[in-house]
Amino acid sequence: MAVDERTIGDGLRRLAGRAEPVDGEMMAALVLRSAGRRRRTGWAVGVAGTAAALAFGAVAVTNLPDPADRTAAEVDPTFTGLTLPPTPPLATAPPIEGLPANTPEQFRQVRDCMPQGGPVHGMDGERRVPQHGVAEDFRLLAESRDKLGVTQLMGSRKGLVLCTPGVLDVSYPERPIFTYWGHEEPGSLAFDGPLTVDVHGTQMQSEVNPGTDGDPSFMVVAGRAAERVRRVEIAWASGQRMEASLTGGFFVARTRVTERIGSKGFRLPKVDVTAYDADGKVLDVRKGLENLYPGALDVDD
């Protein structure tokens, strides 16, 4: 039997009427046991917290949710039955010199990419690396989408982070690993020539229930382009070719790995990157690039 909000409310009122100290955890257990345990964890936590308050004496129980008030249930399958205040809108991302402006939604994606508050250690997604900056230093620069998801290029004035978000109920996000622009500390947005390539590496969508072909892995190329560059073409030695997503002087491209070694590994082929102007004229070509993996040493490495 599902936990009914009115049943829980009535139970709490009865318990409050006792007006004597009792064990809060036991009180919560009594209420939940009488109504069933199939409601989401958030409800159980809320009941336990209220019961703990009752343990210190009589408490007037008010503003309990009306079971008929489920205004969000139609649009949010995770809705618990509580009417919650609307989430305050995100502030517009403050401008950062040299980086594209971000909308509130883009800025939200930047912060979602770095749930620890900034870039993390390459081997530990829970460990922040403070010297690489905080999420607020970064802006969404460009993104490459396909039918399986997206890889986003996030950047600060010091460096970049590749973000491959998880897909709900399908895959987990990649760790936001920091890379200095040009792979040299302290990192700088300035570069010579029409084109520079900062990353030729990989991203993985680690699936909740991977298929027989394993987790999808992607070859990713990212970098910067001068204002006169209007198109960037990527050609891997494996034969795959595509046009990069180019936005505001930053580009990123991804394609799924096709050549595997054994059951899990794969070979990352060399890559050629070509920049074109508005008339289709070649402005710059970088051939046979390799070993431009994302990442930067921290003080403990």
Side-chain angles (χ1 to χ4, degrees):
M1 177 177 66
V3 177
D4 180 81
E5 291 89 342
R6 191 179 298 281
T7 302
I8 293 177
D10 292 342
L12 289 174
R13 290 187 181 90
R14 290 195 302 271
L15 293 169
R18 297 177 184 177
E20 60 185 30
V22 296
D23 182 80
E25 292 185 1
M26 179 185 71
M27 189 178 297
L30 288 172
V31 174
L32 288 175
R33 192 157 49 240
S34 67
R37 297 181 179 275
R38 292 176 59 190
R39 175 60 77 191
R40 297 176 66 86
T41 303
W43 249 111
V45 173
V47 171
T50 305
L54 292 174
F56 291 94
V59 176
V61 182
T62 60
N63 298 323
L64 288 172
D66 183 345
D69 188 2
R70 299 174 181 272
T71 54
E74 297 298 322
V75 297
D76 184 358
T78 65
F79 188 61
T80 64
L82 291 170
T83 300
L84 302 176
T87 302
L90 290 172
T92 301
I96 298 178
E97 183 181 358
L99 302 179
N102 272 190
T103 65
E105 171 59 20
Q106 289 172 324
F107 193 34
R108 181 191 66 78
Q109 293 178 56
V110 172
R111 297 198 293 184
D112 286 351
C113 171
M114 294 175 253
Q116 300 302 319
V120 299
H121 191 271
M123 300 300 292
D124 185 354
E126 301 297 319
R127 176 181 164 195
R128 281 271 290 107
V129 184
Q131 64 266 34
H132 295 162
V134 297
E136 286 71 22
D137 297 331
F138 291 78
R139 297 293 178 266
L140 175 57
L141 307 179
E143 59 183 26
S144 181
R145 290 184 175 271
D146 53 41
K147 64 181 181 180
L148 293 179
V150 62
T151 291
Q152 298 168 314
L153 175 63
M154 312 283 189
S156 68
R157 292 189 57 81
K158 293 170 58 176
L160 64 94
V161 164
L162 291 178
C163 179
T164 299
V167 178
L168 182 63
D169 295 331
V170 175
S171 63
Y172 302 101
E174 267 278 26
R175 295 184 299 273
I177 309 302
F178 179 83
T179 305
Y180 286 108
W181 295 120
H183 288 260
E184 292 185 6
E185 191 176 358
S188 172
L189 285 171
F191 64 97
D192 296 327
L195 178 78
T196 186
V197 180
D198 295 285
V199 169
H200 173 216
T202 61
Q203 291 279 280
M204 178 183 290
Q205 289 181 188
S206 301
E207 296 186 334
V208 177
N209 296 302
T212 56
D213 58 346
D215 296 309
S217 296
F218 300 87
M219 301 183 294
V220 178
V221 174
R224 295 161 285 168
E227 184 177 354
R228 63 184 185 276
V229 175
R230 300 302 173 85
R231 186 166 68 89
V232 176
E233 185 180 75
I234 313 296
W236 285 271
S238 55
Q240 293 146 293
R241 304 175 69 93
M242 67 180 298
E243 185 172 324
S245 173
L246 174 63
T247 306
F250 301 91
F251 67 89
V252 62
R254 83 170 193 173
T255 189
R256 189 167 181 179
V257 170
T258 58
E259 185 178 0
R260 290 187 173 272
I261 302 174
S263 60
K264 295 183 179 180
F266 58 86
R267 177 180 294 109
L268 187 62
K270 296 180 181 180
V271 68
D272 297 344
V273 182
T274 306
Y276 300 86
D277 66 10
D279 297 323
K281 178 184 176 181
V282 174
L283 296 176
D284 197 359
V285 181
R286 303 297 173 91
K287 289 184 171 292
L289 297 178
E290 60 181 338
N291 299 325
L292 290 174
Y293 293 99
L297 296 178
D298 64 43
V299 293
D300 297 326
D301 291 332

